[in-house]
């Protein structure tokens, strides 16, 4: 055999060991599910932090929290203007372009609130707002002119690791 053929054969054998064989194992799932995750708390507005830290078990107001029509929108909360969110505290609802002062509702799966709303550059209006809890992580929010409403998911913060522990 010529030197060239031997060199090419050796090179081919060496390279064949470098090619990864297809794995029968499925890809690993990420350790953190990023659906409905908010930006870091330090970047959030005061009312957003208040809604996140509200003790719903104490007040029994399950609708208090930070909500978006799509989990991916949670990452934009308080970072840019967008449609399809609600920040709800016991006395207020902030949505795109308006802030409503609300009467505190009674605990329950369907809550009707009286709201006095002020949109940028518009008159103050009074209208009912209805919240229907579909689960602990989902609700339907509708107001006087929007009888169909919007289904929303609860946004959440990523858990912060304990000091001295590496995140999983």
């Amino acid at each position: 055999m010529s030197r060239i053929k031997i060199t090419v054969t050796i090179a081919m054998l060496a390279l064949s060991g470098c090619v990864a064989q297809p794995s029968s194992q499925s890809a690993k799932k990420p350790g953190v599910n990023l659906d409905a995750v908010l930006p870091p708390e330090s970047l959030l507005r005061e009312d957003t932090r208040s809604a996140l830290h509200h003790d719903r078990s104490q007040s029994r107001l399950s609708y208090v929290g930070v909500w978006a029509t799509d989990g991916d929108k949670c990452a934009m909360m308080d970072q840019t203007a967008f449609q399809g969110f609600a920040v709800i505290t016991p006395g207020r609802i902030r949505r795109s372009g308006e802030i409503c002062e609300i009467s505190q509702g009674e605990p329950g799966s369907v809550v009707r609130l009286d709201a006095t709303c002020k949109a940028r550059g518009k008159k103050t209006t009074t209208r009912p707002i209805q919240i229907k809890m579909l689960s602990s992580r989902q609700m339907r929010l509708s107001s006087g002119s929007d009888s169909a409403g919007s289904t929303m998911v609860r946004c959440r913060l990523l858990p912060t690791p304990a000091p001295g522990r590496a995140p999983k």
Side-chain angles (χ1 to χ4, degrees):
M1 226 194 255
S2 73
R3 280 187 161 172
I4 294 177
K5 286 184 180 179
I6 293 172
T7 304
V8 170
T9 304
I10 292 172
M12 288 175 64
L13 288 171
L15 288 176
S16 68
C18 294
V19 178
Q21 298 298 319
S23 173
S24 62
Q25 295 177 342
S26 63
K28 288 185 178 180
K29 290 184 179 178
V32 175
N33 179 356
L34 295 178
D35 290 342
V37 173
L38 291 162
E41 188 171 356
S42 61
L43 300 176
L44 298 174
R45 291 171 53 164
E46 184 178 338
D47 65 335
T48 305
R49 291 190 308 268
S50 176
L52 287 168
H53 295 296
H54 177 79
D55 186 357
R56 292 185 309 273
S57 64
Q58 180 73 25
S59 70
R60 297 182 23 218
L61 300 175
S62 57
Y63 58 84
V64 172
V66 181
W67 303 88
T69 54
D70 184 292
D72 291 341
K73 290 183 177 181
C74 292
M76 298 188 304
M77 192 68 62
D78 296 345
Q79 306 308 299
T80 186
F82 69 96
Q83 297 289 319
F85 77 90
V87 175
I88 305 175
T89 64
R92 187 168 123 161
I93 296 177
R94 176 171 51 97
R95 298 193 321 179
S96 179
E98 76 174 359
I99 295 176
C100 300
E101 300 297 324
I102 57 173
S103 59
Q104 186 168 323
E106 294 294 318
S109 62
V110 178
V111 179
R112 187 172 186 268
L113 307 169
D114 294 321
T116 303
C117 302
K118 176 76 172 160
R120 284 185 227 135
K122 294 187 179 179
K123 288 181 15 179
T124 301
T125 60
T126 302
R127 66 177 179 271
I129 291 180
Q130 183 172 310
I131 300 171
K132 180 177 183 179
M133 294 303 297
L134 305 174
S135 72
S136 64
R137 313 255 334 123
Q138 218 175 16
M139 74 163 181
R140 180 173 305 278
L141 177 67
S142 58
S143 61
S145 61
D146 180 21
S147 60
S150 301
T151 300
M152 300 183 136
V153 296
R154 188 183 297 275
C155 300
R156 61 186 173 81
L157 289 169
L158 280 178
T160 53
R165 290 186 147 187
K168 291 184 178 181

